[in-house]
Amino acid sequence: MASRELEVVHSPQVETPPSRGPLSAFLDRLIGPFHRGEAPERKPAMGFYTDTTVCIGCKACEVACKQWNQLPADGFAWTGNSYDNTGELSATSWRHVKFVEQFADNQPPEPTGNGRVSLHVLPDQPHDVRWLMMSDVCKHCVAAPCQQACPTGAIIHNEFANVYIQPDICNGCGYCVAACPFGVITRSTLSGHAHKCTLCYDRQKDGLVPACAKACPTASIQFGPIDELRERARRRVEELHRRGVPGARMYGSAPTETYTELHSFYLLVDRPEVYGLPEAPFNPWLHMLGDYFRTAIAGAVTLAVPLAAFLLWGA
Amino acid sequence: MPGLGASFGRGAATTFQQDLANSDCILIMGSNMAEAHPVGFRWPLKAKEKGATLIHVDPRFTRTSALCDVFVDIRAGSDVAFLGGLVNYVLSNDRWFQEYVLNYTNASTIIQEGFQDTEDLAGLFSGYRGDGETGKYDAVEGHWGYEGCPGGTGDPAGSGQSFRVRMLRGEHGIQGHDLEGGAPSHSAPRKHMTTAPGGTPPRDPTLQHPRCVFQILKRHFARYSPEVVSRVCGCTPEELVRVAELLCANSGRERTSVIVYALGWTQHTTGVQMIRTAGILQLLLGNMGRPGGGIMAMRGHSTIQGSTDLATLYDVLPGYLPQPAADEQHETLHSYVEHEGLPTGYWANFRKFVVSLLKAWYGDAATPDNDFAFSWLPRVDGDYSQLLYFDRMARGEVKGYFLFGQNPGGGGPNAGLHRAGLRNLDWLVVLDWFEIESAVFWKNDPNGPRPAEIKTEVFFIPAAASPEKEGSLTNTQRMLQWHDKAIDPLGDCRSDAWFLYNLGKRLKQLYAGSTDPRDQPLLRLTWDYDFEERPRLPDGTVSRIEGEPDLEKVLQEINGYHLDEADPRTGRPRLVTAFSELKEDGSTACGCWIYSGVFPEPGRNRARERKLTDNPLQPEWGFAWPDNRRVLYNRASAAPDGRPWSQRKKLIWWDQESRHWVGLDRPDFEQEKPPDYRPTPGATGMAAIAGDQPFIMKPDGLGWLYAPGAVKDGPLPTHYEPVESPVGNLLYPRQTCSPTVRTFEGPLNLLAHTPTADYPVVATTFRLTEHYLSGPMSRFNSWLNELQPAMFVELSPELAADRGIVHGGWLTVESARGRIEARAMVTRRLRPLLVEGRMVHQVGLPFHWAFAGEVVGGNANDLTSLVADPNVSMHEAKAFACQIYAGRLAGHTPTPTKSAAPWPTREPVPDTPAAAQPEGRLGHGK
Amino acid sequence: MSSLPVASKPQPYSRETVRKTSRLRGATVTQGVCPYCAVGCGQLIYSKGGQLIDIEGNPESPINEGTLCPKGANAFQLAVNPHRVTQVLYRAPFSEHWETKPLDWAMDQIARRVKAARDADFTVRNEAGRLLNSVRSIGTLGGATIDNEENYLIKKLFGGGLGVVSIENQARI
Amino acid sequence: MQTKTNLPSPTGYAGIVTKPPEWHTLVVFDILFNNLTTGLFLVAAVGELAAPATFTPVATWAYPVALALLLADFACLVLDLGDSLRFHHMLRVFKPSSPMSLGTWSLTVYSLLLTAIVAVEFVAAAGWVPGDSAAAWWIRTLAVVVGLPFAFGSAAYKGVLFSTTAQPGWKDARWLGAYLVNTAVTLGAAELLVIAALTGEQLAVDTLRLAVGLLIVLNLVALALLVGDLYPLLSRLYARREFGVAGLFVLLTGVVIPASSLLAGGVPVTASVAVASLILASLGVRFAIVRLPHDAT
């Protein structure tokens, strides 16, 4: 018979709210969000390390994510972009496996008149070809533009130092969508709220590994304390260089001039653009004060004009 | 999988998936492992991390190729040539593992005078009867047998009689009736091929005798030179040599290489011979029965191994006992055993297995007086395999049919013919979860007739999903794993077991009281699997379902029990603990002898065991047949003297103190037989197997480089072109295709014979990670459909340019059977290949789409043909001829029968608050 | 850029966020095996109140060590799926549509049809006088996607009991 | 459920990875009304404080108008949310790091003060308190003075909100905030001019004509700076011709028409034409700005 390891021993004391009338329900809806939950104590920072060199592009992460988070499908459209029919990260796709076919001249030649293809092009071409695969996800930036942007405090850095959108708070202003330099977040057409990878916050709270990392058959997606992951990744890069894998590099494991490190970082074997990642992500907030300043000056100068006019001629 | 059985004795993967991590070199061929078995591919990758070399040989650059160190693309269907090239390289460069080959294979065995090889007969072996296009081999007249064995040496039992080539046990497809049915009237006992009356057949340890297997082998493969092979396969000679060198460098005492294959090999008219060639290669390199070695067959379905073992196949009984045929020799139990049994090797126990099966089925009705009711077993008088039977069905010769979770209307080769078959039934019973093609063929087939013209009466019985039922599955490494029932089935959904059990009960009622002898098998059939009390679900609630059979009782029957002994604990017959306990006097019953030991005592269902130990083989997780042996023929992991070949590759070895074979694995050998044991002349049974002969299922205990009479298309593999190919046979110009292939041409099954000019493009079908088979388990699932929503065809930029096809546009693929449309996936992952000095284009077709489900599209299997290889009636989907052109298909295109379900489909089950459970109870997420 | 100042600031948690737990709490877990390919991945099936709530890889399984492929990860949607048929469907000859029928009725009808066909076509011996004891006008197909015990019951009932010879499964295809 | 285009895209992931927010027409009008209300308040307040005699009567009419425009702005803001019923969640936190949070708070305070002012005026107009009530005067003046910074903040945050994003164009628009706040004041002055003209405060009209004139020129400078920021993207997105047409339109509606109508005289008609034309100009520019990331990706 089945193991009972997860069965509740004590009968659950569910905090059932006292039955309330429509008015108090309305009031609760009004006031509820203003009640702050008591912040849990901070835990060691957790994150993802995605080693693209062992990714087989199976998309288990995508399905495992949809299953755990009960997300709807994004529609059945064949993109023709290699085996990538997911297309992009969105409010309903929190994992996205990318496929990059690297062959000499990947674009099909134009049809010729008689169409005959001469033999000499083939078949003695070298096989130095690559089919790169990478499972993309929210980067869980240490200083996350989306979190900085969020006007409602729906987006928080939770106790695991992950970026988490509180679905009961978000009001769908869309600022986080505009702020994300990686194009991770969109607003759900169903709920009107912004959604993205939660790094399985609910699972982590119970000591479980995020669904995608658990499913990944080749350990391309690894989850754990961020420091351990960084160390593991560093060793892996050295190993790859020893094996003569050119261009093995980390992405987002360390802060740059214009961006913090990412709590979901990658091991790539080519330039980030090839994988659709910005070469040098930029945190918009580096501009904010300057922009305020320029605006203030401009405002003052502008107001000075009517003021002068009023003082000189208006009196 | 006769290829394996013919070479080693058992038709199943010789090792287990985790063992791939112990390999030094992995040749993946005829398999797209990363895509078709992603989780299995975890293990080759672990090996790679440890420094192993991964090689992929395939017509297409796939997700598997992307992760391998070496990729060689060859023309679909030219695998025997490529493998032959490897064998030739090993032989001509003396890279074979001498001590292993000399002692563990039949290399030194001398073959009868008068055997003629394809070298002598331009592509045919001696004993051929036919016109070269279709025919049969007579192995006796062909003198395929061992020297001194009666099969062809004028021994009355064999001489001059048409010998029906049969595979040895360990494979299915044993009968080999020809299409017109009716087994030949006489056949020599199979023992006459390999067993000399006076002990072992003559051998030449020097391997110099011109008629010894080794010399025959050398001559046979001599012409498979890198240059010739490259011209056949389309690869370069250097590529072949590189692969050969890698395999040789990673074989021997210290290192082992493994070969992984899947349906990329089996779905050919020469599939069995491809696997045979791999077997020869692994024997020569000394990789069989050793850690990180062997041949890993990656099978397709959750229990396809189990369904083969338990024989939902027309020509075998459970445990690979041949289904009796309408032969004189099979009239009585005695003559049946005489003909099908072997005096030496483990099959000497044949009678025990048969009698125990009859006792399990007919109980008290099976007595020594009535031959244990042997005559009740139905006799086969023809080929009743799926392909042939649907051919018959299409001609209206079949009345009723049952589908248990299979979808021939979508996934059958030449699915159009399969649908025609379904349309010509009187009644059809479909047990499935969704309205699959085979259930709605009468209303949704875009190219079928109107419903008003289709007579078939259809019963759709909603089946229980796997979490809604319990039972065991046998995975690709022969391991049985039991899955528990989590919840009750929805509504009127029922498990197939429930359906079968209750149908059986009703039929028994309908026939109750009949005295007609023909009805006795049913009336006397043991059929009592009721639960003692209504079963409870894991959460403690009582199951709502009435009449569910207790499948552990069924498994106990499969395991076997002593009829003359009651178990004190239960009062029921005592269960056998291993097949060695089975008796031939009718005192034991056993439903499937190879599974004996899976239920050794009451309450101990070993398929259900989930115990982890520090033994890397994890022997207490599940149960692997036979007798929980994880690596077959593992006696070969030790040198003839019983010591491991090397410390690095030790698995089991002879322990002089305890005088036992010891080690990590259960020995696939008699535990107490010392390495130096030598049989006395005339010894029978296991006594005839020497202490250094690891292949105990073989009458001579040896691995068969040369397989006398084990396969129907020749004792040695030979390259033949597929039935449909644009090029002729470069190696044997006079013999294009397999001389024993069976083709069934008709208006519904036209063929483009090799070499064809009308269909110049080579097509091969393949599986995507995101879908499953013809889609019954994937195209009703939005999470999978969005990942691969449409049928597409992969083709090279050159071909696309040639036909004016643009990437992403529409194209039409046409074969002699039909046409389909698809989106064009123009990619460099496919290359035209230089074959016979001309360019041959290949296209890849995923076979996941048809006309029922959330996503629909062109069905690759509407293009494949119905042809049958001589051994197992396997069709040829991995290489056939087609023509492609730009543009959509005029006429009806399917529209989805289901719209994507909005998700989530129900309110989430409320969370149990943290307060309800102490912290730290959920530590199982690793 | 200075790391972590943001994360260290007190965050405006909502009450629900603090309350959030994984839905596996309080669930019953059952040992499963993936129903798709032949790799044989171990699965853990979680249910609550008679409803499936989650299916994921069994971390203890030596085969998959908790991992799954996309199809295995989809096992939940395979079982909890609005397209699943939950009543017996019947299509009369030449009919244009399904009718839903009681299970008992269907079982009865099927048993009668089997008997009729068997009684009509059971052959004891062929023209050559050889023993047949077989029925060749009924067949069964399938088995590789169901359970071992069910395969055994098919072979036993149809082969051993009824004398049906065309018993087949995917192994050949 | 989202649906994707069924056209095959070229393989690879070149190009912009950011996703534009779903900000369209509503946002354009939000910016406009924001500028109209804050600008009007700012100019009216400044005028009232600088030259009470001349401007108090005009301002008295200006504040209710500003309030009306503010309500229109709020409508846009709320309706543009994915979940409008959660607008008040904005006030759950005060987050200077988020221009939107800052803006919401200043808008809120500004709206309260503005309401207070209008209320006081109404009470006075209704004669419930004596027109020369010191208390009323103090409250009103206090509200005006305190309101100034918040009105300014409300005007200032918008541009910064856009420029502190990762969106192509916006993220480079260093002078966007400057341009918007400048336009706000310009529009405000023009609106006040209309009111002045309607109330017949001749001196106010003349002063404002001069102010507006100067502001228009200044606004051109701000626009130039902004275009300078955006030029790399604009030149990539639009053809030289489209560019010219747009420029011509802005010049015409933003400078030529209002300027000439101002020269034509200070009657309500000319003033209204000037305002209308300016509104047209700023609508055009705002449309272009909001569209940028959508066009770019």
Side-chain angles (χ1 to χ4, degrees), chain B residues 319-334:
Chain B
Y320 302 106
L321 315 174
Q323 183 86 30
D327 294 359
E328 187 182 21
Q329 303 80 13
H330 289 183
E331 290 263 332
T332 70
L333 179 58
H334 176 74

Side-chain angles (χ1 to χ4, degrees), chain A residues 1 57 80 83 101 236 243, chain B residues 49 63 608 794 807 827:
Chain A
M1 63 141 262
Y83 280 2
E101 298 185 17
R236 173 72 177 160
R243 292 192 189 183
Chain B
E49 291 315 302
R63 283 179 260 196
R608 236 178 136 265
E794 293 186 351
H807 174 66
T827 169

Side-chain angles (χ1 to χ4, degrees), chain D residues 33-74:
Chain D
F33 285 123
N34 169 289
N35 290 170
L36 287 173
T37 176
T38 53
L40 178 56
F41 180 90
L42 284 170
V43 180
V46 168
E48 188 177 7
L49 297 173
T54 322
F55 286 99
T56 308
V58 187
T60 312
W61 285 105
Y63 297 133
V65 177
L67 184 59
L69 292 165
L70 179 60
L71 292 177
D73 182 26
F74 270 129

Side-chain angles (χ1 to χ4, degrees), chain A residues 108-109 111, chain B residues 795 799-807 809-811 824 826 884-887:
Chain B
L795 68 159
L799 180 57
D802 187 62
R803 307 295 161 91
I805 294 165
V806 290
H807 174 66
W810 287 93
L811 59 73
V826 179
I884 80 165
Y885 30 87

Side-chain angles (χ1 to χ4, degrees), chain C:
Chain C
M1 191 166 162
S2 66
S3 70
L4 264 152
V6 184
S8 58
K9 292 210 193 82
Q11 299 288 309
Y13 285 81
S14 78
R15 283 187 302 191
E16 275 189 33
T17 306
V18 174
R19 268 203 298 264
K20 194 102 194 81
T21 65
S22 95
R23 65 174 177 270
L24 299 191
R25 283 186 175 275
T28 305
V29 62
T30 315
Q31 295 272 8
V33 177
C34 181
Y36 283 98
C37 80
V39 168
C41 297
Q43 290 183 327
L44 293 177
I45 300 163
Y46 295 90
S47 57
K48 234 188 226 179
Q51 278 195 317
L52 290 183
I53 60 166
D54 182 40
I55 299 181
E56 52 191 73
N58 181 348
E60 294 192 332
S61 166
I63 293 175
N64 58 311
E65 298 179 329
T67 68
L68 288 174
C69 75
K71 294 192 284 282
N74 179 74
F76 177 87
Q77 200 186 45
L78 193 57
V80 182
N81 189 314
H83 300 319
R84 265 186 72 185
V85 182
T86 57
Q87 276 180 302
V88 172
L89 299 179
Y90 172 72
R91 187 257 178 176
F94 308 107
S95 163
E96 310 242 329
H97 53 80
W98 287 118
E99 312 160 46
T100 58
K101 293 282 190 181
L103 181 58
D104 188 69
W105 176 89
M107 295 299 291
D108 180 63
Q109 293 296 311
I110 294 166
R112 295 187 180 286
R113 278 164 186 63
V114 172
K115 184 174 191 302
R118 181 177 185 271
D119 291 348
D121 301 329
F122 190 94
T123 323
V124 179
R125 291 188 176 275
N126 65 9
E127 310 69 28
R130 296 270 161 256
L131 191 66
L132 285 185
N133 275 341
S134 68
V135 181
R136 288 162 293 176
S137 62
I138 309 175
T140 77
L141 182 63
T145 61
I146 56 180
D147 292 332
N148 286 337
E149 295 71 20
E150 293 166 332
N151 276 275
Y152 178 75
L153 292 180
I154 292 175
K155 187 73 174 183
K156 184 176 178 181
L157 175 64
F158 285 93
L162 298 167
V164 169
V165 283
S166 185
I167 299 171
E168 283 281 287
N169 69 40
Q170 291 92 331
R172 199 152 270 136
I173 300 304

Side-chain angles (χ1 to χ4, degrees), chain B residues 289-513:
Chain B
R290 304 178 57 197
I295 295 180
M296 187 68 225
M298 298 304 297
R299 312 205 60 182
H301 306 65
S302 55
T303 194
I304 193 149
Q305 184 64 51
S307 60
T308 315
D309 303 333
L310 293 156
T312 41
L313 292 166
Y314 84 95
D315 50 6
V316 240
L317 295 167
Y320 302 106
L321 315 174
Q323 183 86 30
D327 294 359
E328 187 182 21
Q329 303 80 13
H330 289 183
E331 290 263 332
T332 70
L333 179 58
H334 176 74
S335 62
Y336 169 74
V337 172
E338 260 308 292
H339 272 77
E340 304 302 331
L342 287 166
T344 60
Y346 205 85
W347 280 112
N349 301 308
F350 186 63
R351 184 182 169 91
K352 299 176 184 173
F353 308 148
V354 182
V355 172
S356 297
L357 174 67
L358 291 165
K359 290 299 291 183
W361 281 9
Y362 303 121
D364 303 341
T367 64
D369 317 333
N370 70 353
D371 235 4
F372 296 103
F374 177 69
S375 62
W376 287 2
L377 293 175
R379 269 52 176 172
V380 282
D381 58 343
D383 188 327
Y384 289 92
S385 67
Q386 175 187 338
L387 301 187
L388 279 291
Y389 203 63
F390 269 85
D391 186 49
R392 230 169 271 186
M393 205 184 287
R395 288 190 258 109
E397 296 171 18
V398 179
K399 285 182 181 158
Y401 208 57
F402 290 82
L403 292 178
F404 296 98
Q406 191 171 340
N407 183 23
N414 189 350
L417 182 142
H418 278 76
R419 291 193 293 276
L422 297 174
R423 288 197 296 267
N424 282 290
L425 285 165
D426 291 352
W427 50 271
L428 170 70
V429 180
V430 182
L431 288 86
D432 219 299
W433 301 334
F434 306 109
E435 292 172 63
I436 59 173
E437 282 78 7
S438 303
V440 295
F441 64 93
W442 49 272
K443 62 169 181 165
N444 292 118
D445 182 350
N447 300 310
R450 293 180 300 105
E453 298 164 11
I454 300 171
K455 65 170 181 176
T456 316
E457 189 179 24
V458 185
F459 298 87
F460 187 102
I461 307 291
S466 57
E468 298 167 351
K469 64 187 214 179
E470 63 178 357
S472 69
L473 301 165
T474 307
N475 79 344
T476 195
Q477 65 207 54
R478 311 179 317 279
M479 182 167 78
L480 284 80
Q481 295 185 106
W482 188 273
H483 62 95
D484 287 315
K485 175 176 175 176
I487 57 169
D488 270 334
L490 309 167
D492 282 350
C493 297
R494 293 292 184 273
S495 68
D496 304 61
W498 182 97
F499 174 83
L500 289 158
Y501 189 44
N502 290 282
L503 180 65
K505 282 182 163 178
R506 284 175 185 269
L507 282 164
K508 275 169 169 280
Q509 281 163 13
L510 285 178
Y511 279 100

Side-chain angles (χ1 to χ4, degrees), chain A residues 27 138 166:
Chain A
L27 286 178
C138 170
Q166 307 180 86

Side-chain angles (χ1 to χ4, degrees), chain D:
Chain D
M1 190 163 69
Q2 305 183 354
T3 53
K4 286 163 286 183
T5 164
N6 209 359
L7 291 171
S9 59
T11 58
Y13 298 91
I16 294 160
V17 301
T18 54
K19 296 202 182 68
E22 290 167 37
W23 294 347
H24 303 287
T25 321
L26 266 176
V27 173
V28 174
F29 281 97
D30 156 47
I31 304 174
L32 178 70
F33 285 123
N34 169 289
N35 290 170
L36 287 173
T37 176
T38 53
L40 178 56
F41 180 90
L42 284 170
V43 180
V46 168
E48 188 177 7
L49 297 173
T54 322
F55 286 99
T56 308
V58 187
T60 312
W61 285 105
Y63 297 133
V65 177
L67 184 59
L69 292 165
L70 179 60
L71 292 177
D73 182 26
F74 270 129
C76 295
L77 281 175
V78 173
L79 292 177
D80 193 52
L81 291 179
D83 187 343
S84 301
L85 293 177
R86 290 186 174 185
F87 177 77
H88 64 291
H89 289 201
M90 294 274 192
L91 303 176
R92 187 174 165 269
V93 290
F94 174 70
K95 234 168 111 175
S97 82
S98 169
M100 193 180 283
S101 176
L102 206 63
T104 316
W105 279 104
S106 25
L107 270 173
T108 313
V109 178
Y110 164 60
S111 62
L112 293 175
L113 293 168
L114 187 55
T115 318
I117 296 167
V118 174
V120 171
E121 282 180 348
F122 178 79
V123 170
W128 295 342
V129 297
D132 56 0
S133 146
W137 185 86
W138 273 112
I139 298 174
R140 190 172 177 287
T141 317
L142 188 67
V144 170
V145 173
V146 179
L148 264 172
F150 290 100
F152 186 82
S154 307
Y157 89 94
K158 269 279 182 250
V160 182
L161 187 155
F162 283 93
S163 63
T164 38
T165 64
Q167 298 300 315
W170 297 354
K171 69 172 163 40
D172 310 315
R174 299 279 70 78
W175 290 97
L176 181 56
Y179 167 75
L180 288 184
V181 78
N182 171 285
T183 323
V185 175
T186 312
L187 285 169
E191 292 169 82
L192 201 64
L193 174 61
V194 175
I195 297 167
L198 287 169
T199 50
E201 294 288 332
Q202 201 44 48
L203 180 53
V205 171
D206 298 339
T207 325
L208 282 164
R209 279 172 69 191
L210 178 62
V212 174
L214 292 168
L215 284 167
I216 289 174
V217 179
L218 201 57
N219 186 246
L220 211 53
V221 178
L223 183 60
L225 289 168
L226 177 62
V227 173
D229 290 338
L230 301 181
Y231 188 73
L233 181 63
L234 293 171
S235 55
R236 185 167 67 76
L237 290 182
Y238 309 113
R240 193 165 289 285
R241 203 171 147 287
E242 300 172 280
F243 215 69
V245 172
L248 202 63
F249 169 80
V250 174
L251 223 58
L252 219 61
T253 52
V255 182
V256 180
I257 298 176
S260 40
S261 57
L262 287 179
L263 293 173
V267 291
V269 184
T270 55
S272 314
V273 170
V275 173
S277 166
L278 282 172
I279 289 179
L280 209 59
S282 33
L283 262 181
V285 176
R286 279 149 189 71
F287 256 113
I289 294 169
V290 170
R291 265 184 56 185
L292 266 182
H294 298 280
D295 291 358
T297 47

